[in-house]
Amino acid sequence: MTKTIFQKIIDREVPSKILFEDDKCIVIEDIAPKAPTHLLVIPKKPIKKLSEVKPDDKNLLGHLMIVISEITKQLNIEDAFNIIINNGEEAGQTVFHLHIHILAGKNFSEFFPG
Ligand code: 5GP
């Protein structure tokens, strides 16, 4: 099976700016940022997309949320960020290794008016 670009980054075959790493995930800067801060939280487990997660992934998914909470605090953006998961090609997913976008410094509220 060919590796996705994110698997190559995890395996250090492709360079990337890694902001955080532990045994379960990495956080990198997006190569083509859509906002002043645009990070990707990527589990090391190669899950293709959110719709393929299993009940066993519950702890991993919770962990990713905790990492988002911690890293946004470290970057002082904890009060103003959005997270996005594109699931499936028609929804804009281009890399088929689950990842969560963290976006900050740009107001996306027009897309999600309260
Ligand atoms: P998706 O569209 O699948 O939700 O998001 C994939 C994201 O990965 C895009 O925002 C794209 O800019 C980013 N990306 C694609 N290739 C690379 C790469 O080689 N390095 C980094 N850091 N980000 C990448």
Side-chain angles (χ1 to χ4, degrees):
M1 208 176 79
T2 45
K3 286 185 180 182
T4 66
I5 186 70
F6 293 163
Q7 192 61 54
K8 289 179 184 169
I9 289 170
I10 291 165
D11 294 343
R12 301 298 198 276
E13 292 169 11
V14 168
S16 182
K17 179 102 187 280
I18 299 176
L19 276 72
F20 174 83
E21 177 168 26
D22 64 14
D23 59 324
K24 296 185 188 65
C25 70
I26 59 169
V27 181
I28 65 170
E29 287 185 347
D30 197 291
I31 203 168
K34 280 73 174 182
T37 301
H38 187 172
L39 310 178
L40 301 170
V41 182
I42 308 170
K44 291 187 173 176
K45 183 175 176 182
I47 300 166
K48 286 202 181 78
K49 51 185 176 172
L50 186 66
S51 55
E52 293 193 3
V53 297
K54 303 278 182 282
D56 275 357
D57 296 316
K58 189 165 77 175
N59 288 345
L60 173 59
L61 295 173
H63 180 75
L64 300 180
M65 292 296 145
I66 299 296
V67 167
I68 290 169
S69 174
E70 286 173 355
I71 196 129
T72 52
K73 274 193 204 79
Q74 278 170 25
L75 298 172
N76 294 315
I77 56 168
E78 74 267 30
D79 289 327
F81 69 91
N82 298 87
I83 62 171
I84 293 177
I85 298 176
N86 295 322
N87 186 85
E89 208 172 325
E90 284 185 44
Q93 186 176 3
T94 57
V95 180
F96 284 81
H97 182 132
L98 178 63
H99 53 282
I100 304 173
H101 297 259
I102 303 176
L103 297 144
K106 186 174 171 181
N107 193 334
F108 289 92
S109 61
E110 65 182 281
F111 300 111
F112 307 101

